Amino acid sequence: MASNNENGEIPAKIKRLEVKRPVTVVLGTQWGDEGKGKIVDMLAVDADLCCRCQGGNNAGHSVHVQDKHYAFHLLPSGVIYPSCKGVIGNGVVIHLPGLFKEIEDNKIGNLEERLVISDRAHLVFDLHQKVDGMLESGRGQKSIGTTKKGIGPTYSSKATRNGLRISDLVGDFTKFSEKFTHLVEHFKCMFPDVEVDVEEELEIYKEFAERVRPMVKETVCYLHNAIKENKRILVECAQSTILDIDFGLYPYVTSSNCSIGGVLTGLGIPPHVIGDVYGVIKAYLTRVGSGGFPTELTDEYGELLQKRGAEFGVTTGRPRRCGWLDLAMLKYSNMINGFTGLAVTKLDILDVFEEIKVGVAYKLKGQRIETFPASDDDLQQVEVEYITLPGWKESTESVRKFSELPANAKKYISTIEQHLGVQVKWVGVGKDRDSIISIP
Ligand code: GTP
């Protein structure tokens, strides 16, 4: 608390605390795969730093620039721009072999010099990936649909306090070796069949330590200074709100907070520096893996969405389940994240539909509910109230101005705005970088 001076006044320096909000957040509103990559790519033009705050290489963002296709899993998408630095925050879990492969595959100039990695980020080992695979196969029919990239087991090592961090790797290697051996023993007690060649792994990590060392920083201070220097910071959340470990449909969730809270804990920045929070909505809904899906279409319309939208995972190639847009889910997502603007992607995929349904509310046991159920059992039982909107039956792919969209497409967008009370600022009408309509 500010102490008063002898005249009873609060010192001017403390009174005039200047609030800067240089941080813009982009996050998913549904079950992921909304096309966040393209929105981040668009906003990153003006960013000095682009940050990842949670998850690992279980994410998959695609960015198409003319003939070039970038597939990002751990790298912040903004690094495509030579002036933008990439920050991998403390909340991210890093599989170094995967990160280095991604750097090599994407062939982006002087990337390693522009990449900053938090010393507090945890390491994902091949061991975590093997255990992830074993756990997922053991679930049989009840599979959660993890990508088997070791992300869940790494966050569980973090929670049981025997995980290894980047700071361990670039510190004393003898201590790192001891901790790694201990981690292997810990997992071997639970999974006796898991095979790890400790010596070989340590040899590999000794080399990784040297390669990663120049990129490692204490990122709390690094970001604090960037904020003081008025740098523009873009944060890209992976996965999505309904996959959030706290607010998603547990247990069909990812192992991190991929809603707004994860930005604070995964980067170590204070809430008042966050300005805009943009929610990315796919114009319809998709879901990977099992669990409830109230607006799912298991008929030819679902197949049409899957085919037109190329709904197959970037990381796994798995087909995605498809259904109508669910505004009941989106209202819940907005309650958590407090969106200041929205981007609706893949409107073009709906171009061929005669009529388009939109879920607007849920009823559970005959009663309208205001929120999104906590349990999958309840979600499976909800009845959806729909509204039916007329389709536009013409291509929107070459449209670049909102005023030039077909009237029924505009109506579709304004329905979303009215139900959520948030402005739609962008509409995606194709996968290329310039296939986007900005709404002033
Ligand atoms: P996660 O982080 O895994 O949830 O993925 P994401 O939200 O980043 O999705 P991604 O960037 O992988 O986008 C999904 C696909 O949609 C990509 O192939 C994009 O090129 C494509 N896409 C994005 N916007 C549009 C759009 O407006 N229209 C069409 N047709 N495709 C789009």
Side-chain angles (χ1 to χ4, degrees):
M1 212 171 107
S3 56
N4 294 2
N5 63 19
E6 61 266 26
N7 304 322
E9 293 162 343
I10 296 171
K13 216 169 142 196
I14 298 175
K15 221 166 31 177
R16 274 190 246 110
L17 177 77
E18 199 187 330
V19 178
K20 289 180 192 155
R21 298 181 182 275
V23 179
T24 299
V25 177
V26 176
L27 55 83
T29 57
Q30 299 158 311
W31 266 308
D33 309 309
E34 295 95 349
K36 295 180 287 291
K38 195 168 104 173
I39 304 302
V40 171
D41 175 56
M42 178 186 72
L43 295 172
V45 183
D46 297 320
D48 299 303
L49 302 176
C50 184
C51 314
R52 276 280 306 269
C53 59
Q54 44 68 235
N57 61 348
N58 51 341
H61 296 302
S62 308
V63 182
H64 298 265
V65 185
Q66 282 134 18
D67 291 340
K68 185 123 175 63
H69 170 223
Y70 298 92
F72 295 120
H73 301 286
L74 252 175
L75 290 170
S77 321
V79 295
I80 292 180
Y81 298 96
S83 59
C84 185
K85 286 192 176 150
V87 177
I88 300 183
N90 58 279
V92 179
V93 291
I94 305 175
H95 182 244
L96 281 176
L99 176 66
F100 291 137
K101 181 169 184 313
E102 197 178 320
I103 291 175
E104 278 142 31
D105 288 352
N106 280 297
K107 299 187 178 63
I108 298 172
N110 73 331
L111 183 54
E112 292 196 27
E113 285 143 52
R114 290 188 284 123
L115 195 60
V116 175
I117 300 178
S118 166
D119 55 358
R120 291 188 171 88
H122 277 248
L123 288 164
V124 181
F125 294 104
D126 289 356
L127 162 73
H128 289 118
Q129 300 194 334
K130 286 181 190 162
V131 167
D132 205 358
M134 287 174 167
L135 285 168
E136 188 68 356
S137 333
R139 289 185 189 111
Q141 293 273 304
K142 295 218 155 109
S143 129
I144 287 173
T146 93
T147 51
K148 301 178 190 158
K149 297 280 180 188
I151 310 304
T154 306
Y155 278 115
S156 78
S157 293
K158 177 175 176 176
T160 47
R161 271 89 80 196
N162 57 3
L164 277 85
R165 305 193 292 177
I166 291 279
S167 58
D168 294 308
L169 180 63
V170 298
D172 179 338
F173 199 76
T174 310
K175 286 192 183 149
F176 174 84
S177 307
E178 282 165 14
K179 286 184 185 172
F180 180 71
T181 310
H182 173 74
L183 183 73
V184 174
E185 282 162 6
H186 171 83
F187 274 108
K188 277 208 158 265
C189 289
M190 293 183 291
F191 302 92
D193 294 341
V194 73
E195 281 174 23
V196 185
D197 185 332
V198 174
E199 291 307 311
E200 193 182 65
E201 278 288 280
L202 288 173
E203 275 309 303
I204 295 171
Y205 272 84
K206 206 168 201 171
E207 282 182 30
F208 285 161
E210 295 320 306
R211 184 162 171 193
V212 81
R213 195 184 305 280
M215 299 176 232
V216 178
K217 283 205 172 24
E218 196 289 298
T219 47
V220 172
C221 196
Y222 179 80
L223 289 172
H224 176 80
N225 288 337
I227 291 165
K228 272 207 307 204
E229 288 161 19
N230 284 324
K231 299 266 191 260
R232 290 154 301 179
I233 302 171
L234 184 63
V235 183
E236 162 180 25
C237 290
Q239 293 91 33
S240 212
T241 303
I242 308 298
L243 294 170
D244 182 284
I245 188 152
D246 281 281
F247 302 112
L249 200 65
Y250 196 87
Y252 302 105
V253 290
T254 194
S255 31
S256 61
N257 283 116
C258 31
S259 56
I260 192 71
V263 176
L264 305 182
T265 57
L267 290 172
I269 54 170
H272 71 260
V273 301
I274 297 178
D276 279 308
V277 180
Y278 296 131
V280 185
I281 298 176
K282 194 183 312 201
Y284 48 97
L285 186 57
T286 57
R287 164 155 213 197
V288 174
S290 20
F293 186 164
T295 61
E296 183 169 17
L297 289 161
T298 49
D299 54 13
E300 71 271 23
Y301 292 121
E303 270 172 41
L304 189 59
L305 286 173
Q306 192 183 70
K307 202 162 149 226
R308 284 184 56 80
E311 295 300 347
F312 300 91
V314 177
T315 308
T316 59
R318 284 184 298 198
R320 299 173 185 145
R321 297 156 70 193
C322 298
W324 299 123
L325 187 69
D326 184 341
L327 288 172
M329 169 193 279
L330 289 173
K331 279 181 201 160
Y332 170 72
S333 193
N334 188 36
M335 285 184 221
I336 296 164
N337 298 302
F339 298 120
T340 61
L342 300 169
V344 176
T345 62
K346 293 192 143 183
L347 188 76
D348 54 303
I349 305 305
L350 298 178
D351 286 351
V352 296
F353 287 82
E354 195 80 50
E355 284 188 331
I356 302 164
K357 285 183 153 194
V358 177
V360 291
Y362 290 160
K363 268 190 184 163
L364 184 62
K365 300 185 180 105
Q367 298 284 323
R368 221 174 196 246
I369 53 170
E370 290 296 314
T371 186
F372 191 74
S375 87
D376 191 50
D377 284 350
D378 282 349
L379 192 70
Q380 303 227 14
Q381 285 178 45
V382 299
E383 270 174 70
V384 183
E385 276 180 34
Y386 287 101
I387 53 169
T388 304
L389 297 172
W392 43 94
K393 300 274 284 172
E394 62 183 282
S395 173
T396 54
E397 278 176 53
S398 54
V399 178
R400 295 291 175 270
K401 283 193 187 142
F402 188 71
S403 58
E404 287 165 15
L405 272 178
N408 288 344
K410 283 191 229 165
K411 194 167 171 193
Y412 191 74
I413 298 296
S414 63
T415 303
I416 298 174
E417 288 183 325
Q418 278 158 17
H419 279 263
L420 300 179
V422 185
Q423 194 205 340
V424 172
K425 294 183 74 91
W426 300 279
V427 179
V429 287
K431 62 183 183 177
D432 282 330
R433 188 181 248 183
D434 63 350
S435 303
I436 196 135
I437 299 170
S438 291
I439 309 174

